């Protein structure tokens, strides 16, 4: 298959699937090896960025997805009703952060870190498709394990979990000191 036809096939696959597609599956469909397929897709991504197009291809871990460029959002709103925008409360955002950095993690571990029940926050994150069940822990009671989804990566603009920002060690020590001080104040009351 020549390059133009291969690119057209990749474009058709990504457009039709709507969701992200693993590079190995794309490679098999276009009868290329994974590395060559990845290079072709990266070239397509570069071209989409420079050609003033309304679509783009994004990379999510070892998969690719075709989607609308962010700066085209206002035009979509004119056609469709205002899309339902998910709003993350501080509690949900805190819970999501814990899951993102500690996954796979049980609800009990989340609650131990937060110090309060987290059922509602976890359920809301699952509803928003930012978090999913990853299986069960091999421990008494077989508690559910939770982790983030591809939707999380898409919404937060990261390609993989390795791209999550790291916490500054000095800032981490400050957080620990604040928490210990807060606990001490509560114990003294």
């Amino acid at each position: 298959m020549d390059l133009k036809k291969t690119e057209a096939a990749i474009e058709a696959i990504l457009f039709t699937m709507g969701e992200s597609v693993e590079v190995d599956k794309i490679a098999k469909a276009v009868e290329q090896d994974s590395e060559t397929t990845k290079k072709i897709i990266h070239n397509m991504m570069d071209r989409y960025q420079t050609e003033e197009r309304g679509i783009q291809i994004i990379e999510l871990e070892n998969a690719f997805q075709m989607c609308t460029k962010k700066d085209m959002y206002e035009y979509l709103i004119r056609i469709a009703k205002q899309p339902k925008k998910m709003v993350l409360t501080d509690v949900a955002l805190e819970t999501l952060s814990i899951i993102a950095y500690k996954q796979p993690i049980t609800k009990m571990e989340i609650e131990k870190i937060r110090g309060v029940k987290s059922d509602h926050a976890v359920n809301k994150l699952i509803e928003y498709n930012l978090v999913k069940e990853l299986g069960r822990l091999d421990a008494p009671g077989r508690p559910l394990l939770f982790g983030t989804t591809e939707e999380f990566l898409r919404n937060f603009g990261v390609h993989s979990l390795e791209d999550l920002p790291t916490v500054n060690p000095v800032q981490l020590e400050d957080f620990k000191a604040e928490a210990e001080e807060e606990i001490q104040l509560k114990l003294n009351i």
Side-chain angles (χ1 to χ4, degrees):
M1 201 179 321
D2 72 346
L3 182 60
K4 289 275 186 211
K5 191 165 184 165
T6 302
E7 287 179 342
I10 291 169
E11 194 172 53
I13 290 166
L14 295 177
F15 176 78
T16 304
M17 296 308 290
E19 298 288 317
S20 65
V21 183
E22 293 172 4
V23 72
D24 294 337
K25 289 181 180 178
I26 298 170
K28 188 174 180 182
V30 298
E31 299 172 336
Q32 296 285 338
D33 63 87
S34 294
E35 277 307 306
T36 302
T37 302
K38 208 171 193 175
K39 286 178 186 172
I40 293 170
I41 295 172
H42 279 280
N43 287 338
M44 292 170 68
M45 290 168 71
D46 292 342
R47 209 167 49 248
Y48 282 6
Q49 288 299 336
T50 59
E51 290 181 357
E52 291 298 319
R53 296 178 91 167
I55 57 172
Q56 65 182 349
I57 298 174
I58 59 171
E59 187 172 2
L60 302 165
E61 294 200 337
N62 204 23
F64 293 91
Q65 180 176 0
M66 183 175 285
C67 60
T68 308
K69 286 185 178 177
K70 289 178 186 173
D71 55 340
M72 296 293 126
Y73 187 66
E74 67 179 283
Y75 301 105
L76 297 175
I77 291 174
R78 292 178 191 167
I79 294 295
K81 299 286 184 215
Q82 178 89 18
K84 183 181 176 188
K85 198 172 185 177
M86 69 176 143
V87 178
L88 291 178
T89 62
D90 290 344
V91 169
L93 199 52
E94 177 183 345
T95 305
L96 181 59
S97 298
I98 292 167
I99 293 169
Y101 282 97
K102 298 283 189 177
Q103 65 185 305
I105 188 170
T106 65
K107 210 178 283 185
M108 189 166 54
E109 291 170 316
I110 296 167
E111 291 169 355
K112 185 178 178 186
I113 293 168
R114 290 195 60 236
V116 294
K117 286 290 232 181
S118 299
D119 293 336
H120 180 73
V122 171
N123 290 338
K124 213 44 151 163
L125 293 170
I126 290 171
E127 180 184 320
Y128 288 153
N129 194 28
L130 296 172
V131 168
K132 66 181 176 184
E133 295 176 5
L134 297 177
R136 294 192 173 268
L137 184 64
D138 191 18
R142 308 241 330 123
L144 287 169
L145 290 167
F146 296 95
T148 56
T149 63
E150 279 188 354
E151 191 66 24
F152 164 80
L153 296 174
R154 253 188 300 284
N155 280 297
F156 287 87
V158 292
H159 299 293
S160 70
L161 295 174
E162 286 79 39
D163 293 340
L164 288 174
T166 56
V167 180
N168 181 335
V170 173
Q171 197 173 23
L172 188 59
E173 288 304 315
D174 291 345
F175 290 150
K176 284 181 184 177
E178 279 180 43
E180 289 170 2
E181 187 177 309
E182 190 175 316
I183 290 170
Q184 199 57 43
L185 284 172
K186 286 182 180 180
L187 292 175
N188 291 337
I189 291 179

